Amino acid sequence: MKPFIRSAGAALLAALMVSAALPGAVWPGTVWADDSLSDMEQRQQELQQRLDEANRNLAAMEGRVDQQEAYNQQLYEQLMLSQQQVDLMGEQILALSADIADRQQKKEQLEEDIAAAGEQIADAEQSLSDTVSQFQTRMRSLYMAGELSSLRMLLSADSFSDFFTGAALMKAVSQSDQQLVLRLREQKTGLETQKEELETRKQQLERETEEILSQRAALTGQQEALRTAQASLSDSYAENQELLDQYAAQADDALQDLNALREESEQVEKEIQAWFAEQERLRREEEERRRQEEERLRQEEEERRRQEEAAASEAGESSEESSEPSSEPSEESGSSDSPGSSGSSDSEVHTNFIWPLNGFYTVWCSYGQQTGYFHYGIDISGGGINGADILAAESGTVILAASHYSYGNYVIIDHGGGYATLYAHASALLVSAGDTVTRGQVIAKVGSTGNSTGPHLHFEVRINGVTQNPLGYVSP
């Protein structure tokens, strides 16, 4: 049974109203306010339709809210991941910038070292140039002097020993100059090698720096692109949050409308029950009036008989002759018997109910308050139940066998004394309004007509139109 099947109660009440015109009606003599009950039933059906629509709208709204919340959560997670990536890239950029600064400092130191090496090379070149010039000047002077210098050295020498000592000195000077030049050249070569190494190191450092700069530029570009995407995500998140708020507000409005409809439907149900209570009061008043009328007629009849017996006694008539008039009911007596017999039939109440489905005992939806709605009966189901026989829970009179948008094909049986049972969602009805049925008789077949989610029997017990828990009257 779907939620909020309030119109079912109205249908039962309408059926009980119709029963007043059928043989064996529950409340004979009651004045039925047909228009009032019909109006309430119409209101109940309209409310049920609106409740169904409100339930669908609320379910749709809640579904959209759930979807929007899931999407919003995804956006939020993407934003968080994006922010983590931006932060990580920022840390990488800072590390690269620190590396670049360190390499720049090393490069500046290398440039200073290269400049110092250049100066040393220049000094070495200048020293070498000066030494070579001096050496060349001496060599040229010695060459120009030639043998003259050697002769002068010989003539001026006091001995051959002095001569050879001077010649050796001249040769030593020449060799010393040559060695000096060689040392200067080696020094210059070493300085040039050192400078080349410094230049190589500088070039390598510059290449590495360029690579790091390129990495930092690429990383910075990625970070900017990520920030742009993050901004777009943030905008989407804000828009989605606004849409989610709208959906949530619509869902709240739909829930408020649904609650209002529920309250109105419950109010109509109370009005219907109040209507039946009033009918019950009128029925009791009518029964009391009939009882008083019967008592008055009985007393009048006794008084009439007494008078007749007295008159017959005075006339000398026999007791047998005086009793003959009383053996034939008068017209008044006949009229008084009818209410009495009717009242007797009204007192016949059948409540020895049996389980309405043989072989199927699973109650998958019980009587009473469910999640979001009140269930007015019990739903009996089980494997292979479709097409199973539905049995009359007790003998009585069929007061309604019809089709309803919510109940589907359904039957209502009056058992007397205000007791009635209802059987809904049948695939086929095997009885008609006005039929007299016996306890256990097959009255319909299980189906899934009306507002139903699958084959099952919806079974109700009502007293004077008010629903009762069927499990208080039947047991599996």
Side-chain angles (χ1 to χ4, degrees):
M1 198 80 179
K2 290 288 183 69
F4 314 115
I5 310 300
R6 302 243 180 233
S7 57
L12 173 60
L13 301 178
L16 293 176
M17 177 192 72
V18 174
S19 70
L22 300 175
V26 179
W27 299 314
T30 301
V31 178
W32 293 85
D34 293 345
D35 293 339
S36 175
L37 186 59
S38 175
D39 290 343
M40 285 189 286
E41 181 191 26
Q42 182 63 31
R43 282 179 60 198
Q44 191 74 302
Q45 291 182 354
E46 291 174 355
L47 284 171
Q48 181 60 43
Q49 292 174 352
R50 291 169 62 189
L51 277 169
D52 292 343
E53 182 64 24
N55 273 320
R56 287 191 292 269
N57 290 338
L58 180 59
M61 285 292 100
E62 290 176 343
R64 293 171 72 181
V65 169
D66 291 341
Q67 292 178 355
Q68 210 65 29
E69 285 180 343
Y71 179 54
N72 220 32
Q73 183 63 29
Q74 290 179 354
L75 287 176
Y76 179 77
E77 290 176 358
Q78 290 178 0
L79 275 173
M80 294 300 99
L81 289 174
S82 176
Q83 186 59 50
Q84 291 176 8
Q85 287 180 309
V86 169
D87 294 342
L88 180 59
M89 287 182 176
E91 293 176 0
Q92 292 174 333
I93 290 172
L94 289 175
L96 289 174
S97 297
D99 195 6
I100 290 171
D102 181 62
R103 290 175 183 275
Q104 186 66 31
Q105 185 177 1
K106 290 179 179 179
K107 178 185 173 184
E108 292 174 355
Q109 183 62 47
L110 284 174
E111 288 175 345
E112 292 178 1
D113 293 343
I114 290 170
E119 293 177 357
Q120 291 176 357
I121 291 172
D123 292 342
E125 287 178 345
Q126 184 62 44
S127 298
L128 180 59
S129 177
D130 294 342
T131 302
V132 170
S133 296
Q134 293 174 6
F135 178 72
Q136 288 175 346
T137 300
R138 286 199 297 273
M139 290 302 100
R140 189 168 44 252
S141 299
L142 290 174
Y143 177 77
M144 293 296 295
E147 292 295 330
L148 178 60
S149 297
S150 299
L151 181 58
R152 288 179 179 172
M153 188 180 299
L154 179 60
L155 295 174
S156 62
D158 294 334
S159 64
F160 280 104
S161 177
D162 290 338
F163 174 77
F164 286 114
T165 298
L169 181 59
M170 291 179 63
K171 184 177 180 180
V173 169
S174 175
Q175 290 177 348
S176 177
D177 288 339
Q178 289 178 359
Q179 292 175 356
L180 178 59
V181 170
L182 290 175
R183 284 197 302 272
L184 290 173
R185 284 179 177 172
E186 289 175 357
Q187 183 180 3
K188 177 186 175 186
T189 301
L191 290 172
E192 288 175 345
T193 301
Q194 183 181 1
K195 182 179 179 183
E196 289 176 358
E197 291 175 354
L198 291 172
E199 291 285 355
T200 301
R201 288 174 58 190
K202 176 185 174 183
Q203 292 173 2
Q204 179 66 25
L205 192 61
E206 288 176 345
R207 285 193 298 269
E208 293 175 355
T209 302
E210 287 298 326
E211 290 178 0
I212 295 175
L213 286 171
S214 177
Q215 291 177 11
R216 186 177 69 173
L219 199 60
T220 301
Q222 293 176 8
Q223 188 184 45
E224 290 302 321
L226 194 59
R227 282 176 174 165
T228 301
Q230 187 182 36
S232 178
L233 273 175
S234 181
D235 292 341
S236 298
Y237 180 81
E239 293 173 0
N240 190 70
Q241 184 63 46
E242 183 177 354
L243 191 60
L244 179 61
D245 293 340
Q246 293 177 1
Y247 286 165
Q250 291 174 5
D252 289 341
D253 292 342
L255 182 58
Q256 291 178 5
D257 293 342
L258 184 61
N259 290 334
L261 286 172
R262 289 174 182 170
E263 291 176 0
E264 186 175 356
S265 179
E266 291 172 356
Q267 180 61 36
V268 172
E269 180 72 14
K270 290 178 181 178
E271 292 175 5
I272 292 174
Q273 293 180 7
W275 186 91
F276 271 95
E278 176 64 15
Q279 300 307 307
E280 175 66 10
R281 185 187 67 80
L282 293 175
R283 182 187 69 81
R284 290 176 179 174
E285 288 182 355
E286 178 66 14
E287 287 182 348
E288 179 64 19
R289 184 190 65 77
R290 287 182 177 180
R291 189 191 63 77
Q292 293 176 359
E293 180 66 15
E294 289 172 359
E295 178 65 19
R296 183 185 67 79
L297 292 174
R298 187 187 63 78
Q299 292 177 358
E300 289 179 354
E301 177 64 14
E302 288 182 354
E303 178 63 22
R304 184 182 64 80
R305 287 179 180 178
R306 187 185 63 77
Q307 292 176 358
E308 287 179 351
E309 289 175 355
S313 177
E314 291 175 359
E317 296 179 356
S318 67
S319 61
E320 292 182 353
E321 292 176 346
S322 65
S323 64
E324 288 179 359
S326 63
S327 63
E328 296 181 5
S330 65
E331 186 174 343
E332 289 182 358
S333 172
S335 64
S336 66
D337 289 343
S338 177
S341 60
S342 175
S344 175
S345 64
D346 288 345
S347 64
E348 296 178 4
V349 180
H350 306 282
T351 58
N352 188 23
F353 296 147
I354 64 171
W355 189 255
L357 277 174
N358 284 333
F360 301 95
Y361 306 105
T362 301
V363 177
W364 62 271
C365 188
S366 59
Y367 175 87
Q369 186 65 43
Q370 307 296 319
T371 303
Y373 71 101
F374 191 92
H375 194 225
Y376 288 104
I378 59 174
D379 289 344
I380 307 170
S381 185
I385 196 174
N386 194 35
D389 292 340
I390 299 175
L391 310 179
E394 181 53 277
S395 301
T397 301
V398 177
I399 59 177
L400 194 63
S403 180
H404 186 269
Y405 86 97
S406 179
Y407 276 135
N409 298 324
Y410 71 113
V411 174
I412 300 177
I413 301 175
D414 167 32
H415 305 291
Y419 287 84
T421 53
L422 179 147
Y423 314 76
H425 304 308
S427 60
L429 302 180
L430 305 182
V431 293
S432 301
D435 291 350
T436 299
V437 298
T438 59
R439 183 169 178 261
Q441 178 179 335
V442 179
I443 59 173
K445 297 288 185 178
V446 172
S448 185
T449 56
N451 194 2
S452 171
T453 57
H456 71 283
L457 170 63
H458 175 79
F459 177 67
E460 290 184 11
V461 174
R462 288 189 177 236
I463 300 178
N464 296 327
V466 181
T467 61
Q468 311 293 320
N469 187 348
L471 295 180
Y473 299 85
V474 297
S475 60

